[in-house]
Amino acid sequence: MENSSPLTPLAVALGERAYFIHIGPAQSAAAVDAAASLLNGKRAAFIVTSPVLAAAHPALFSAFRAAGATVHTTSVDGEHAKRIGELERLWEALAAARMDRHGVVFAVGGGVIGDLAGFAAASYLRGVDFIQVPTTLLAMVDSAVGGKTGINLSAGKNLAGAFYQPRAVYADTALLATLPPREFAAGMAEVIKYGLLGDRALFDQLALAGRLSWDHPALPDIIRRCCASKAAIVSEDERETAPEGGRALLNLGHTFAHAIENVAGYGEYLHGEAVSVGLILATRLSAALGLLDASALPAVEHLLGKNNLPVALRKPLPVDALMDAMRRDKKVRQGALRFVLLRALGESITQFVDDDALVRRLWLEAGAGN
Amino acid sequence: MENSSPLTPLAVALGERAYFIHIGPAQSAAAVDAAASLLNGKRAAFIVTSPVLAAAHPALFSAFRAAGATVHTTSVDGEHAKRIGELERLWEALAAARMDRHGVVFAVGGGVIGDLAGFAAASYLRGVDFIQVPTTLLAMVDSAVGGKTGINLSAGKNLAGAFYQPRAVYADTALLATLPPREFAAGMAEVIKYGLLGDRALFDQLALAGRLSWDHPALPDIIRRCCASKAAIVSEDERETAPEGGRALLNLGHTFAHAIENVAGYGEYLHGEAVSVGLILATRLSAALGLLDASALPAVEHLLGKNNLPVALRKPLPVDALMDAMRRDKKVRQGALRFVLLRALGESITQFVDDDALVRRLWLEAGAGN
């Protein structure tokens, strides 16, 4: 575990096909090789990325171009690229590049590029092959695994899209060298989440490892463990139809996090930062309900804090607005909110909670105001 | 066969699920019942139709509304409704109606409405259930069966979409009473195509039946045979990946038809009218190549003519443009064009043909000009 030699690719068995996740410090070169090999076989390779990434990794995109691939850059960076006008622009660019149904779309970017390019690949000519090259820690452990793709509508986020699995994922940890530290930390919130929800050994490994950085020798193995956790959960519940547990467990901390993002305004907290506060709240709620031994709390707080993640709200947000936002999050049944809760570090369940006073109190303790 | 009592629903086994095609003169009432039953179960029902159909069948849409369904009308009729702006309008309307993932989209219309609403259903919340209520003969025997959905881009037709199977199809032959006779005839071209490509008994039944109309007692059975033919072919080759035969056989006459539509300009010939001329040309090409006994030709011409379908070009189109259009139709290998050809009435194969002079001569005999 403590070296950076190539890891065995992780096999993901989903739906009608299996694919591999390749993780390590030279995997973007492997993605270029994959594109070159497709092009030699007379299959088109079409690369989708964003302006910031095109500027950050010029050698990588030059290599894709030298192999004969078309490189398409979105017109904006960030969440705004997940809109219908950008999807149309991408579909028309695929047609202009004369992509036929044997062509392959590569998403080189974070979750936004993966979601947009993945939906374009799922729908262009009713589906062409798709390869993910995640460039953020968050995308490597979360959005690149599981097959959710899509765009936002005026009415809400991720309302249009497809469940569409990639043919391969190349996660190059060396690309994380240019990731802003705040985004790296935000990715760590999801890493820590996997330890909490189902992998006690990962939690312990993280607790022992000190603060992680892009070149930590254990990082590829840690990413692999997260992908394995997500793949195991997703392959049991690909379309999120399990009545309890299943894919919903991946939402540990997220009912709180969505409320924070919603009330603070999108962009004020990075998603992972809101998740960090959400993990603290979910852990405290589990202890307050008697599910989890309260002695587990300090280890969770310590691990998040050590990774430069917030363990409380930065500024007070109104508690009524936070409660309302949770109720709008679709996880309500007969007045009770559904949460993912911990029975131990590394063991989670879904449960309905109708004690609003308790949840309010926890918000106030985490820095909300009246 | 010679009565209008309800037929046994046709079971279609495709992909991960089976569904039923219900055919007969009262099936739109059954679709309303299905919507009412969903709504009683607290599942939303969202009906998509076009302005012309909303005006032609007011009682049907009143019944859907009375059951509690939302009725959405496209802003335009015809092929122009298969565009991205209309898809966005539909997605936003689904969100405005607060459709959750248990909701069901009904497409009440011809191929355009089925393709647009089917793609919206395939992609809204990454896929909600979908029911087809085809209102044209063409949609009943062709587009409502097989799972192809999609929209047009500036770069071409049907470039974005999904393979997405409906949960059920309700084909109400009584709705065909208001279909313009020219469109009914165009649908008959596809009906006759099924007889030619794989169902000799259907061809003979059509030859004996005289000209069919919407209230002909044999029509439900004939539609059912066509659906059974298409379903059998599609279930063997759902995503059109078979190297020969398979779903490609459904293109009998279509390499010629697409060239006619392309050169004459879309709208000049209805699709089925162009297919009719294409069926004549495919039959003659089969005979000229010695695959088919030439004595079969008059029966094909007679059957198409009897159903008010053209057996030659109405006005001369330039033969060079027709040949070029065929070459652009993606069915070329090493200079040879791929055609679906007949070995007998009711038996078809795919074959590459490199005798351009022969194909030119057949175009000229069918009314093309130099």
Side-chain angles (χ1 to χ4, degrees), chain A residues 16 84 87-88 91-92 95-96 101 115 119 122-127 147-156 158-164 239-242 330, chain B residues 16 84 87-88 91-92 95-96 101 115 119 122-127 147-156 158-164 239-242 330:
Chain A
E16 62 198 53
I84 196 164
L87 175 66
E88 180 178 22
W91 277 338
E92 297 284 3
R101 63 190 199 179
D115 285 4
F119 185 34
S123 51
Y124 180 70
L125 301 180
R126 302 193 184 95
K148 284 189 175 178
T149 71
I151 60 169
N152 305 325
L153 302 181
S154 316
N158 297 317
L159 291 184
F163 287 100
Y164 201 64
R239 285 164 181 267
E240 205 163 353
T241 47
K330 293 171 294 182
Chain B
E16 62 199 53
I84 195 163
L87 176 65
E88 181 178 22
W91 277 338
E92 297 284 2
R101 62 189 200 179
D115 285 2
F119 184 35
S123 50
Y124 179 70
L125 300 182
R126 302 193 184 94
K148 285 189 176 179
T149 70
I151 60 168
N152 305 326
L153 302 181
S154 317
N158 296 318
L159 291 186
F163 287 99
Y164 202 66
R239 286 167 180 263
E240 205 163 353
T241 47
K330 293 174 292 184

Side-chain angles (χ1 to χ4, degrees), chain A residues 90-216:
Chain A
L90 187 42
W91 277 338
E92 297 284 3
L94 287 163
R98 300 188 162 275
M99 275 271 285
D100 66 17
R101 63 190 199 179
H102 305 292
V104 181
V105 173
F106 289 64
V108 183
V112 165
I113 293 296
D115 285 4
L116 172 71
F119 185 34
S123 51
Y124 180 70
L125 301 180
R126 302 193 184 95
V128 296
D129 281 353
F130 172 47
I131 288 177
Q132 294 256 30
V133 186
T135 61
T136 66
L137 182 55
L138 182 59
M140 288 180 190
V141 300
D142 185 10
S143 57
V145 187
K148 284 189 175 178
T149 71
I151 60 169
N152 305 325
L153 302 181
S154 316
K157 290 180 70 166
N158 297 317
L159 291 184
F163 287 100
Y164 201 64
Q165 302 298 338
R167 286 287 179 184
V169 179
Y170 295 91
D172 186 344
T173 48
L175 294 180
L176 301 177
T178 58
L179 191 68
R182 192 177 159 195
E183 285 200 38
F184 188 91
M188 282 304 300
E190 298 282 351
V191 170
I192 293 164
K193 182 194 77 174
Y194 288 110
L196 283 172
L197 76 85
D199 185 348
R200 173 63 188 257
L202 171 62
F203 185 87
D204 291 343
Q205 183 182 8
L206 294 169
L208 285 170
R211 182 151 73 87
L212 285 177
S213 59
W214 72 271
D215 55 354
H216 192 291

Side-chain angles (χ1 to χ4, degrees), chain A residues 196-197 252 282-283 286 291-292 340-345 347-348:
Chain A
L196 283 172
L197 76 85
L252 177 65
T283 308
S286 306
L291 281 171
L292 176 71
V340 183
L341 298 172
L342 299 180
R343 288 206 291 211
L345 297 181
E347 193 184 339
S348 55

Side-chain angles (χ1 to χ4, degrees), chain B residues 292-367:
Chain B
L292 176 70
D293 193 310
S295 67
L297 291 174
V300 178
E301 289 174 26
H302 181 73
L303 180 56
L304 291 164
K306 184 175 73 176
N307 281 284
N308 279 356
L309 284 160
V311 295
L313 295 174
R314 295 199 190 105
K315 287 184 267 185
L317 296 170
V319 69
D320 290 337
L322 292 163
M323 294 296 292
D324 285 349
M326 286 203 299
R327 300 209 157 274
R328 283 196 307 271
D329 201 29
K330 293 174 292 184
K331 296 176 185 76
V332 179
R333 188 177 65 187
Q334 292 170 352
L337 284 162
R338 188 168 78 157
F339 290 94
V340 183
L341 297 172
L342 298 179
R343 288 206 291 213
L345 296 181
E347 193 185 337
S348 55
I349 53 166
T350 53
Q351 189 169 306
F352 283 87
V353 176
D354 62 3
D355 188 347
D356 273 17
L358 170 61
V359 176
R360 278 180 74 90
R361 181 162 63 74
L362 293 173
W363 274 122
L364 292 167
E365 285 174 15

Side-chain angles (χ1 to χ4, degrees), chain A residues 254-294:
Chain A
H254 281 61
T255 300
F256 296 105
H258 291 157
I260 295 169
E261 291 176 283
N262 205 284
V263 174
Y266 285 101
E268 181 69 22
Y269 286 78
L270 292 180
H271 177 64
E273 293 169 343
V275 167
S276 177
V277 181
L279 292 174
I280 293 287
L281 283 160
T283 308
R284 288 184 188 156
L285 180 57
S286 306
L289 292 168
L291 281 171
L292 176 71
D293 193 310

